[in-house]
């Protein structure tokens, strides 16, 4: 399959606005779960407003949250796909800019030093593009994540020592959730990275924070910690918007990578309750959005 | 727990009636403000021609559409999606915002800290918690964009909104030193050790 760059541009533009408008079904189910388990009156009222907002966005064809985020595109290339890599990157960028202009989206992207906003949602190295490869025949997956900033500011890395053990990593996660309180727009998905190098560890936390609810860490030890922490964070009482209650997080997700004998890194990256993402799959048969 | 309907602007006596846990519906006028607006106003001494005295500001940077000027869009902007950003980043500006501009109410998400609490107590102010991330709903409370200043900072301009029955909002911090966020923080701190022990991560 030859990747058509005009098509990639259009898909990248569509994905941005779709992600901003349509909350994925697993997050909607997550809200149902939390509402069912919540006992606090304020917490129930806050969750009620969030659920109502999803319905209002659908009814009024509006975006869910005013934060259009930092645009991230995760590209997964299957087997027997031909493309020009430089053109692919350019097409993604054009799609991102086009969506911003055509949909009157707030550009939330500025130069880090001058703070100049080009009003395009693009800038130096933004949109962020990750490329990976998999086994699927003539298939390209494009996932778009408009990463909200209230939760992105809840990011931490600590290079723990091997002698600190896994218990220090767990304590680090719990203490960050406490410290962040309502700032990260709970209920959240707490993404945790364990292992790798410093940059890999942070990237793992982002993968974890943006993984669909209901999925489990592929490593059995990681999955065990995930289950433990998921239960523990909702015993803290932070609650939706930090106003108290059980519903602090939909889940804690853990991703792992092998690390160095001297290292024990842990990273935290938070996803807010407006846990937006959209996926397009391109095959010779056409484009499917999900 | 009382419910207050406030026609903006209001005076110090009115704001001191608000207690944490009360609810508020806001009417008439609301200003939008955030990081860059405050940095330019207070770190770089920039003045605004808009009168914020007795008013409420919301921590926001909206999505807007450029349209022809009309009665509905006096400055050529129509609201598209208006929501709320995290307040904590703007903590160090609260006192100046109240002293220099006369602001009485701050609307935001996630709460603010001890400096803000002290400013509210000294000068007569309150923090109203809105549900962050519920921007589609919030937008239905905005009637029109009445004015905009410092628009070179777009979208972090100083916005003046005409609103219709905005709320109910929860009084999260009042002028008597009360803070729901502080109460929750204390409660969470008291649970920490037991939670850590339950996952084998106690100290």
């Amino acid at each position: 399959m030859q990747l058509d760059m005009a098509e990639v541009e259009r898909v990248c533009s569509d994905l941005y606005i779709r992600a901003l408008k349509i909350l994925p079904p697993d997050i909607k189910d997550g809200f149902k779960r939390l509402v069912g388990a919540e006992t606090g009156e304020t917490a129930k009222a806050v969750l009620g407003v969030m659920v109502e907002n999803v319905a209002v966005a659908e009814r009024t064809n509006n975006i869910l949250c005013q934060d259009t985020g930092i645009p991230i595109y995760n590209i997964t290339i299957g087997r027997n796909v031909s493309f020009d890599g430089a053109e692919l990157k350019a097409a993604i960028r054009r799609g991102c800019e086009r969506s911003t202009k055509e949909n009157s989206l707030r550009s939330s992207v500025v130069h880090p030093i001058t703070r100049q906003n080009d009003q395009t949602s693009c800038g130096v190295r933004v949109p962020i593009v990750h490329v990976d490869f998999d086994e699927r025949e003539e298939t390209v997956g494009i996932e778009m994540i408009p990463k909200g900033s209230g939760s992105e500011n809840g990011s931490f890395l600590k290079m723990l020592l091997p002698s600190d053990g896994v218990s220090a990593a767990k304590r680090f996660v719990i203490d960050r959730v406490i410290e962040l309180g309502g700032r990260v727009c709970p209920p959240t998905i707490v993404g945790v990275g364990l292992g790798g190098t410093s940059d890999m560890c942070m990237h793992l936390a982002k993968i974890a924070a943006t993984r669909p609810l209901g999925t489990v860490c592929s490593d059995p030890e990681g999955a065990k910690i995930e289950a433990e922490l998921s239960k523990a964070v909702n015993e803290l009482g932070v609650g939706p918007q930090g106003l108290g209650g059980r519903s602090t997080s939909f889940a804690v997700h853990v991703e792992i990578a092998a690390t160095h004998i001297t290292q024990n890194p842990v990273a935290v990256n938070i996803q807010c309750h407006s846990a937006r993402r959209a996926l397009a799959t391109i095959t010779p048969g056409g484009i499917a959005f999900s | 727990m009382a419910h207050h309907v406030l026609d903006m602007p209001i005076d110090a006596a009115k704001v001191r009636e608000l207690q944490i846990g009360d609810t508020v519906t806001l009417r008439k006028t609301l200003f939008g403000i955030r990081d860059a607006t405050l940095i330019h106003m207070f770190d770089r001494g920039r003045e605004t021609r808009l009168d914020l005295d007795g008013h409420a500001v919301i921590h926001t940077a909206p999505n807007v559409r450029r349209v022809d000027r009309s009665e509905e869009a006096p400055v050529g902007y129509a609201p598209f999606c208006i929501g709320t950003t995290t307040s904590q980043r703007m903590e160090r500006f609260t006192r100046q915002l109240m002293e220099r501009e006369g602001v009485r109410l701050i609307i935001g998400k996630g709460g603010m800290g001890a400096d803000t609490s002290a400013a509210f107590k000294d000068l007569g102010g309150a923090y109203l918690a809105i549900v962050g991330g519920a921007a589609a709903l919030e937008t239905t409370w905005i009637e029109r964009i009445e004015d905009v200043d410092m628009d070179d900072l777009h979208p972090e301009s100083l916005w003046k909104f005409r609103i219709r029955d905005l709320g109910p909002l929860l009084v999260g911090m009042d002028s008597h030193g009360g803070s729901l966020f502080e109460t929750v923080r204390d409660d969470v701190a008291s649970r920490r050790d037991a939670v850590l022990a339950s996952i084998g991560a106690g100290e």
Side-chain angles (χ1 to χ4, degrees), chain A residues 185-214:
Chain A
C185 244
T188 58
I189 301 169
V190 181
V192 178
L194 295 174
T197 50
S198 57
D199 57 329
M200 168 59 93
C201 192
M202 206 65 235
H203 187 52
L204 292 170
K206 170 71 90 282
I207 293 171
T210 55
R211 225 176 64 199
L213 291 174

Side-chain angles (χ1 to χ4, degrees), chain A residues 5 8-9 84-96 127 129:
Chain A
M5 291 308 163
V8 168
E9 177 185 329
D84 180 306
E87 272 186 34
L88 175 62
K89 274 176 80 171
I92 294 166
R93 196 180 179 91
R94 283 198 306 274
C96 181
V129 177

